[in-house]
Amino acid sequence: DGGITQSPKYLFRKEGQNVTLSCEQNLNHDAMYWYRQDPGQGLRLIYYSQIVNDFQKGDIAEGYSVSREKKESFPLTVTSAQKNPTAFYLCASSPSVDTQYFGPGTRLTVL
Amino acid sequence: KQEVTQIPAALSVPEGENLVLNCSFTDSAIYNLQWFRQDPGKGLTSLLLIQSSQREQTSGRLNASLDKSSGRSTLYIAASQPGDSATYLCALRRMDSSYKLIFGSGTRLLVRP
């Protein structure tokens, strides 16, 4: 099956803890993205990567970090510096600028 | 700064009704505009993509239009069904930053049986 997978589906974090969200794609897409969605709002871009070993900050990168060591993988770390991390996180990939394909999402809750 | 607005935030209609969802944007220098569907707690599914040079796109019961001069796009759903209940989001790419999508906050649609 081709597609984008995100894990885990639900994640709970204690205050002061770093957590890493996984995103894997087998679509052979060059570009990958991380978005954050808060209730009743649209998606906001956290980081994106157009090619392996390169990534750029989006609109709300503070308190997050990423890596892109492999074409298939784009993990997102939510650090303790992110003061309000409770949200729904969506990963996407795209072969071009024409469309993006989204994963099922990870819901992160701070305890 | 490009802003994307979707009004209303929520809409409830009886089954069988034709309906229009609205998306407005402040800067007409767009690369393309896309409509997505999101079911509760799920990812996004692309419905229609309109290039900057196009006026509309159709897929089944869905029709999306684009009017750059007025900064508006509409998604028309014909003969609505309960299965159409979801949140509909529009997103656009700017000409100067075509890899990035700028999203509206969505319209939550409920089609009542």
Side-chain angles (χ1 to χ4, degrees), chain A residues 3-29:
Chain A
I4 303 173
T5 58
Q6 291 186 242
S7 62
K9 186 172 182 179
Y10 298 98
L11 186 58
F12 298 91
R13 189 193 96 167
K14 294 181 180 178
E15 298 234 3
Q17 210 175 39
N18 292 353
V19 292
T20 296
L21 284 61
S22 170
C23 177
E24 304 277 333
Q25 55 101 358
N26 61 4
L27 301 168
N28 201 34
H29 290 168

Side-chain angles (χ1 to χ4, degrees), chain A residues 33 37 42 97-99 103, chain B residues 31 34 38 49 51 93 99 104:
Chain A
Y33 310 80
Q37 186 177 32
V97 299
D98 276 349
T99 193
Chain B
Y31 185 84
Q34 197 163 1
Q38 185 177 31
L49 182 146
Q51 300 292 352
R93 291 172 179 80
Y99 268 93

